[in-house]
Amino acid sequence: QKASGKVLFDLVCSHMNLIEGDYFGLEFQNHQKMMVWLDHIKPIIKQLRRPKHTILRFAVKFFPPDHAQLLEELTRYLFALQIKQDLSCGRLTCNDSSAALMVSHIIQSEIGDFEESQCRSHLLNNNYIPDQMPLIDKIMEFHSKNIGQTPAQSDYQLLEVARRLEMYGIRLHPAKDREGSVLSLAVAHTGVLVFQGHTKINAFNWSKVRKLSFKRKRFLIKLRPDLNSSYQDTLEFLMASRDCCKIFWKICVEYHAFFRLFEEPKPKPKPVLFTRGSSFRFSGRTQKQVIDYVRESEFKKIPFERKHSRVQHNSRLSPLPSPRHHEVPTERGAPGDRVDSSPRRHWKESVLVSAEDPSASRTVRASPSHKRNGHEDRAGSVSRTEDTRGSTPQAHQEHLSTGVASNSPHLSASSGHSHGMVNGQKSLELCSHSPNGRQPSPLTSPLLNDACSVRTDDEDEVRRKRFPTDRAYFIAKELLTTERTYLKDLEVITVSFQSAVGQDEATPDSLKNTILSTFEPLHKFHTGFLREVEQRLALWEGRSNAHIKGDYQRIGDVMLKNVQGLKPLTANLHKQSEVLLELEKACRASRKLEGLCRDFELQKVCYIPLNVFILRPLHRLIHYKQILERLCKHYPATHVDFRDCRAALADVSEVVDQLQGSLIKMENFQKLLELKKDLIGVDNLVVPGREFIRLGCLSKLSGKGLQQRMFFLFNDVILYTSRGMTATNQFKVHGQLPLHGMTIRESEDEWGVPHAFTLVGQQQSVVVAASSLTEMEKWMEDIKMAIEVVKTSNGPSSDLLTSILTDNKCPEDSSVEAESEDDMTASHTSLERPAPHRGNTMVHVCWHRNTSVSMVDFSIAVENQLSGNLLRKFKNSNGWQKLWVVFTNFSLFFYKSHQDDYPLASLPLLGYSVTIPSESENIHKDYVFKLHFKSHIYYFRTESEYTFERWMEVIRSATVPSGRTRILNSKESHPH
């Protein structure tokens, strides 16, 4: 009886497993026969006069400017249903071409790929637009071009077309102006709009509106003073009644709060004596809060899969379908229920494990599955892997990406969400599922559970007492563990890449020979080196009787011998740049080879970008130098191992100095090549003289409010992009800002937006906001430095954009979004043949963690790589799990053992903090560090003080932001 509207709405969202429910609402006809939204704060009983006779309709309430802001596939599906309904009832008006294109995407999602007779029959039996018959041929023509498009992609393309229409999301409220002209008012994310018929004749942006109010039948818009405007201070519109005014005023208040505010407005204190005006306020999360929440909680989602229904039926869609036909999943279908032709989603039986408490008992949630032809459709189901593996507490952790074992035929991969995954795994927050049904990347293998050995504390203590405790031993052990990882990385090129790409006829012989002659000698040399290091460590640990024969507790002699043996291979190390250049040249010349390389990067074994593997031999020399420096620092000058270590350090330093300049250039070149794959709409990113400086997430202020954008800073230009929900996983370039003649200033006070600054270019100015003060300072520092450098240098040409992008200005930046047939067809063709693209690059990590990374950070990351066994524990689990862990590329990669060819899971560390557990956390173990990001907490335990310090050091290098000090240090240590 006393339940508020929010209680009912939350139950509806829960019933549909809907996370982004804040975009929707429940509308109903009040006692005055006007459609109103259910108020979340008021009790339901006060809003519905006759509850038994009131029909509540679930509908989209807030239409965002960009459907890419909808992070859930289910949300986009529901939006697509709303567009379908608006088209059907004539509310969403548009030209014939746009209508036909939208209907083609709808039927692609419903019946799948084009078959002429089936398509014509379907269109004759189903009306999607009021006057459909004359457009059937045009719809079929568009449908024939949609071949291969999945239902999710069809939803996306439908929304892509719809969002450009003038009537998208518009709900008209009849009114008159002062002269008595019949008009309509509407509200959108941009502000209040005025329509005459279905034509927009005026728009009042939120930034120009000072106050919205109503007085009896008059709706008042009070504008901010503007000397350039011919409008009066206050505009007045006459509506049918006071209630009409109040209904429209309420939805205006809600739209403004949802799209413009950072958080829900706080309730006003109640006046002591008497009230004046309405106490209504927006209740719920703002759009920014919704986006942040979904990113944080996306690991708790129920898998959601949609298939083409391919169902034919003869029912004609009524213009206003009854709510019982709304296409939402129900618990069970009643006999005789109408079979709807809408695309169905499949909620499959899945296992949910609490992210906070991995030891909690598993909850099996059974949800409806659409049955067809009497057979249950099992595609995309999530198997209960734990059923056959036992109930280890480590299973199914949210932030560590997990996948499916290639040797487990009964397991199938979870359906992917394009926004929240890397390599097809939820826990990474990052990448989309591969469109061809394959796992789209390296991290697909068994859950990190009891497949990994768990060692008891007693065993651990015995082992620690038995093995050496000398610091030099642990430094030597770091050499061993990192050498194992390095040899595996070499095998990615010499074995995996050669078999997958090198044997293909599309690969030029010159490239095959260059790779073979460069990497084979290195692989052979390091195989022997690793064997020697393993033998020496075995003697050092006393695991054989050989230690009786003499001095074995040293590593310098082995290092000196092998560093000298590496010198003849210096020519091979110089050829890394040659391999990189030749591979890029060959890929440009052959689209087949480019496709082969792209497919190889999606394989499990290629856990980091391919180009990084090619530069690994140069990186490894730096690691040898660091290890030898630590040994020399540790040993006294009289130690038996000191002289050999110092001699080896001198030799390796000489080689590093020779290669340093080449390495800096190659790292920049490699980064440009990697970014080129991540971006759509750039012609000539990789040109001589261009240097990458920083990439990261900023919010761009436009007429539509703050919109998340990815910015890329180079030494001559800034690019800003957005991430599309397409199968390619790439970022679409929206615009470029040449640095020549640019100025930059803080703008927080000017715009009232925290951490805002303005980039003033010669042709346009852009206002952006960083996520924190630190981020703002980093961006401003780097941009100012780049502007100063560009004044005195002749950098590359700044014109980076493709002709298509330059000719058609991005709709985000135009004040009026014109509807054109060219735009409509362009949105279709862009997805005809989407190529899968790896979604775990640093660009995607920065996008989801709302942070940035500089070239200096990348250079430091190269120097800070580490491997070894760690014991891992979750927040509420009991035991410690032994894993082989590799730290590289700002991420931790987890393996069962060092012999594994590819990781089971990974954890990007950007945004994490690394600390020591407090007393209250009851860890009670030595050498434990804690990783923490929002609600995600992991404990890792090392075997010694030295390894503890090293892991803390390298992880901090990935989590602590770079500042000017770090830039200066980098420039001193890396002379050009």
Side-chain angles (χ1 to χ4, degrees), residues 62-308:
F62 300 111
F63 289 81
D66 185 357
H67 53 295
Q69 294 171 336
L70 305 174
L71 304 181
E72 284 263 282
E73 188 187 326
L74 172 58
T75 313
R76 292 193 295 277
Y77 167 57
L78 294 172
F79 264 75
L81 290 182
Q82 183 70 62
I83 297 302
K84 178 180 167 185
Q85 184 178 329
D86 289 354
L87 270 175
S88 174
C89 69
R91 183 186 272 169
L92 181 57
T93 57
C94 57
N95 62 32
D96 288 350
S97 179
S98 301
L101 184 58
M102 286 192 285
V103 173
S104 78
H105 289 306
I106 293 172
I107 61 175
Q108 173 70 20
S109 70
E110 294 190 358
I111 65 173
D113 289 344
F114 176 75
E115 293 171 16
E116 186 172 358
S117 58
Q118 182 198 28
C119 180
R120 188 176 294 278
S121 169
H122 187 79
L123 287 170
L124 290 172
N125 290 319
N126 298 276
N127 279 335
Y128 293 99
I129 45 179
D131 192 15
Q132 184 173 291
M133 287 301 290
L135 294 179
I136 284 183
D137 289 338
K138 200 164 193 176
I139 294 168
M140 290 174 66
E141 181 190 341
F142 281 132
H143 185 202
S144 67
K145 297 175 183 177
N146 292 341
I147 289 173
Q149 205 167 274
T150 65
Q153 290 170 347
S154 298
D155 288 350
Y156 187 89
Q157 292 303 312
L158 172 65
L159 296 176
E160 177 68 27
V161 178
R163 78 181 180 99
R164 298 171 185 270
L165 302 177
E166 196 158 75
M167 294 300 293
Y168 167 68
I170 296 300
R171 304 293 180 257
L172 298 175
H173 297 255
K176 293 180 180 178
D177 62 10
R178 281 182 172 174
E179 285 73 41
S181 303
V182 176
L183 305 168
S184 295
L185 296 180
V187 63
H189 58 276
T190 52
V192 180
L193 312 176
V194 183
F195 284 81
Q196 199 158 39
H198 287 95
T199 305
K200 184 168 67 176
I201 60 172
N202 219 328
F204 301 103
N205 199 294
W206 294 124
S207 59
K208 297 176 184 175
V209 176
R210 190 157 66 90
K211 185 179 180 182
L212 293 175
S213 59
F214 63 94
K215 190 171 184 180
R216 298 186 180 89
K217 292 184 180 181
R218 290 178 298 149
F219 186 80
L220 307 171
I221 303 175
K222 190 169 282 189
L223 301 175
R224 297 184 187 279
D226 186 356
L227 299 175
N228 301 320
S229 174
S230 58
Y231 293 116
Q232 310 161 33
D233 177 47
T234 304
L235 297 167
E236 189 176 300
F237 296 90
L238 193 67
M239 303 188 87
S241 65
R242 178 184 181 276
D243 286 335
C244 290
C245 278
K246 186 169 186 179
I247 289 168
F248 182 60
W249 175 78
K250 278 185 172 183
I251 190 65
C252 287
V253 168
E254 291 184 308
Y255 251 83
H256 175 267
F258 185 75
F259 286 108
R260 297 283 286 186
L261 301 185
F262 282 113
E263 56 187 30
E264 179 184 352
K266 293 180 173 59
K268 296 176 183 176
K270 291 185 178 180
V272 180
L273 298 175
F274 54 86
T275 62
R276 182 182 175 188
S278 173
S279 62
F280 175 78
R281 66 180 175 87
F282 171 73
S283 171
R285 294 177 297 200
T286 65
Q287 187 190 29
K288 183 180 185 303
Q289 287 177 312
V290 174
I291 291 171
D292 290 345
Y293 171 77
V294 173
R295 287 199 178 119
E296 192 176 337
S297 63
E298 61 195 21
F299 319 99
K300 306 174 184 107
K301 291 181 297 197
I302 291 174
F304 173 68
E305 178 83 8
R306 177 169 171 203
K307 301 292 176 192
H308 300 293

Side-chain angles (χ1 to χ4, degrees), residues 475 627-636 642 645 649:
I475 298 174
I627 286 169
L628 286 164
E629 283 173 344
R630 281 194 285 274
L631 282 168
C632 289
K633 188 176 179 181
H634 167 67
Y635 286 138
F642 178 75
C645 286
L649 176 59

Side-chain angles (χ1 to χ4, degrees), residues 870 914-915 927-930 938-940 942 948 951-952 955:
L870 290 177
V914 56
T915 55
Y927 315 130
V928 175
F929 62 89
K930 169 185 170 184
Y938 308 99
Y939 301 101
F940 291 94
T942 63
F948 169 77
W951 280 104
M952 289 283 282
I955 291 174

Side-chain angles (χ1 to χ4, degrees), residues 346-391:
H346 304 279
W347 281 264
K348 296 297 184 183
E349 191 174 52
S350 62
V351 177
L352 303 181
V353 180
S354 164
E356 286 298 316
D357 184 5
S359 60
S361 61
R362 285 155 185 69
T363 305
V364 177
R365 175 157 189 157
S367 293
S369 170
H370 180 52
K371 294 188 178 180
R372 188 162 61 240
N373 301 327
H375 299 289
E376 186 177 352
D377 180 8
R378 299 185 181 276
S381 66
V382 179
S383 302
R384 286 175 288 169
T385 56
E386 288 87 345
D387 287 357
T388 58
R389 292 180 175 271
S391 56

